Amino acid sequence: VKWCVPGNLYVMVGYARLNRGSIIVTTISGVSAKRWDRFLATLKLDERLEFNEGDIGLAGGMQVLEPSNANPTTVDAIRRFGGSTSATVPWPEEEGNDEDDKFER
């Protein structure tokens, strides 16, 4: 009966993840460096990912394509600003009504 409490379910899930993690760490330690390097090369993590057609993004990820109607959005989540990328240059002021932005967050 004690295991039916919702809080304990999350603890059990946490233990399951830790157990799987330890299995993965143990298994990976048995893989040779040559084989691991070949595996990493197949991931192509040094290639940049394409967000949209012609919109090249960052390297170091894995691109997963999905149908455009799977997760419809009305607002683009990627905001782009022109200009310098220097850390000393402040971000440009956003145009728009601050009251509207409160509801979007």
Side-chain angles (χ1 to χ4, degrees), residues 49-56 63 65 80:
L49 300 176
E50 186 174 14
F51 289 127
N52 290 324
E53 190 172 334
D55 186 4
I56 303 298
Q63 187 172 28
L65 301 177
R80 295 172 180 81

Side-chain angles (χ1 to χ4, degrees), residues 8-78:
N8 287 341
L9 177 65
Y10 295 114
V11 172
M12 291 171 31
V13 170
Y15 285 135
R17 286 182 179 161
L18 285 172
N19 189 33
R20 275 182 267 158
S22 68
I23 292 170
I24 291 169
V25 168
T26 305
T27 304
I28 287 178
S29 66
V31 176
S32 70
K34 182 179 177 181
R35 187 170 187 169
W36 182 251
D37 290 338
R38 278 196 328 243
F39 169 71
L40 287 180
T42 63
L43 295 179
K44 301 179 183 179
L45 295 175
D46 55 339
E47 293 182 10
R48 300 183 102 177
L49 300 176
E50 186 174 14
F51 289 127
N52 290 324
E53 190 172 334
D55 186 4
I56 303 298
L58 304 171
M62 297 179 71
Q63 187 172 28
V64 178
L65 301 177
E66 62 183 18
S68 60
N69 62 354
N71 297 299
T73 57
T74 56
V75 178
D76 190 6
I78 301 171

